[in-house]
Amino acid sequence: MGEESKKAQERVKEIILKHKGFDNAISSREINEEIDVDNVGSFPGTRQIIRTLIIDEEIPIASSGNGYYVVETEEELAEYLESLEGRMLSIADRKWAIQRAAVNWEEDIESSEDRDLL
């Protein structure tokens, strides 16, 4: 990780640690306004830094429609884990649905020798 990336990660860590609890969330837009690593509206660099803080630094950062926050209570953790579980199930449903649709699709989908999806 380069020096600029380390600085951005440390700055995001400082910012996020000030946002404890669901009611004190901060959006990726607000974080990026302080660290300026993204010029794309979905803020992929900012989101990647947050993932790194969760995985590598083991900071319990959750997210909601309002942004990111450090988990303060077991209830917040439980609600966030339930939210993730629901999203995982939704993605799995979509995965199986598209594979089923591709298999049943009446038009040709070029097959591959390296894959066995159809």
Side-chain angles (χ1 to χ4, degrees), residues 10-86:
E10 281 304 309
R11 185 67 186 117
V12 172
K13 182 177 176 179
E14 290 172 12
I15 293 166
I16 202 75
L17 288 175
K18 294 177 184 174
H19 292 272
K20 295 183 178 176
F22 177 85
D23 292 331
N24 197 23
I26 183 170
S27 71
S28 51
R29 177 180 304 281
E30 291 171 302
I31 294 170
N32 188 61
E33 285 173 0
E34 295 207 29
I35 63 169
D36 196 30
V37 296
D38 285 305
N39 58 8
V40 177
S42 61
F43 309 105
T46 302
R47 289 185 290 114
Q48 178 58 48
I49 291 170
I50 290 168
R51 277 191 295 276
T52 299
L53 292 173
I54 295 167
I55 294 167
D56 294 349
E57 299 210 25
E58 297 184 341
I59 300 172
I61 301 169
S63 64
S64 69
N66 296 327
Y68 297 97
Y69 60 95
V70 177
V71 171
E72 272 194 315
T73 67
E74 191 170 2
E75 188 62 31
E76 286 178 347
L77 178 61
E79 288 176 11
Y80 185 59
L81 293 175
E82 288 172 19
S83 169
L84 289 175
E85 183 72 22

